[in-house]
Amino acid sequence: MKKFLFLFVALMLVVVTGCGKTNSLKCTYEDDEQKAVYEMEFDKNDEISTLKMTTSMKLEEELTDEETEQMKSYMSLMCMGFDYEGSKCDVEVEKNAVNLVISIDMTKLTDEEKAELSYNAEDGSLEAMKKAAEDEGFTCK
């Protein structure tokens, strides 16, 4: 009887909490010159809670050390647009590729900051984000 009771309580915890798991969506786009991956997690209200955007651009020629530093500086300017609490932007410049990774914890943004990013809850649902990405040529799962 104790085993049954323990199993029942454990099962109820899994059902009620959903194992703490959120819904997620991963969308990718790739062509000869670039690759983009958007990874999103959604809360229990179907609003986006975290967003990670990774963009990799292939370069036709290897960069010199000076060109690498110039590219880092230029790409870092893009990061200035994501200077919010809960946001992180990293630039990695390799000899033949540039990688830009932007992570945003949407739960830490104010309503003003969300508006600056043109975000609203209606457009931030899993289905809306999936449709928008697929309309732009991404493949989502």
Side-chain angles (χ1 to χ4, degrees):
M1 184 68 175
K2 285 183 182 180
K3 283 183 182 180
F4 175 75
L5 184 60
F6 174 75
L7 184 60
F8 177 75
V9 170
L11 184 59
M12 287 306 295
L13 282 174
V14 169
V15 170
V16 170
T17 63
C19 294
K21 198 169 189 181
T22 57
N23 289 327
S24 60
L25 179 66
K26 183 176 182 178
C27 300
T28 57
Y29 173 85
E30 188 169 6
D31 63 22
D32 293 340
E33 299 172 5
Q34 67 181 353
K35 179 179 181 179
V37 179
Y38 293 177
E39 298 172 87
M40 299 162 261
E41 290 189 10
F42 299 83
D43 64 17
K44 62 184 175 190
N45 297 320
D46 195 33
E47 291 182 26
I48 191 166
S49 56
T50 61
L51 170 64
K52 180 179 179 184
M53 301 175 285
T54 305
T55 305
S56 301
M57 295 170 281
K58 298 174 187 171
L59 304 173
E60 290 182 21
E61 300 176 7
E62 274 193 24
L63 297 177
T64 65
D65 290 342
E66 183 179 326
E67 290 170 329
T68 299
E69 288 305 311
Q70 289 173 346
M71 182 63 79
K72 280 183 188 177
S73 294
Y74 175 74
M75 295 302 288
S76 293
L77 291 174
M78 293 186 75
C79 288
M80 292 175 67
F82 296 94
D83 189 24
Y84 304 107
E85 181 180 342
S87 298
K88 184 178 179 186
C89 184
D90 293 314
V91 176
E92 181 183 307
V93 180
E94 301 169 359
K95 293 292 182 188
N96 57 358
V98 177
N99 304 306
L100 179 67
V101 180
I102 301 168
S103 300
I104 303 172
D105 183 343
M106 299 296 286
T107 64
K108 293 185 178 181
L109 298 182
T110 65
D111 289 339
E112 265 183 15
E113 291 169 333
K114 289 177 182 177
E116 287 175 14
L117 294 171
S118 300
Y119 170 82
N120 66 60
E122 186 177 301
D123 294 337
S125 70
L126 188 142
E127 285 303 316
M129 296 296 286
K130 182 178 180 183
K131 182 177 180 344
E134 288 176 341
D135 287 349
E136 293 295 320
F138 283 75
T139 302
C140 299
K141 29 180 163 170

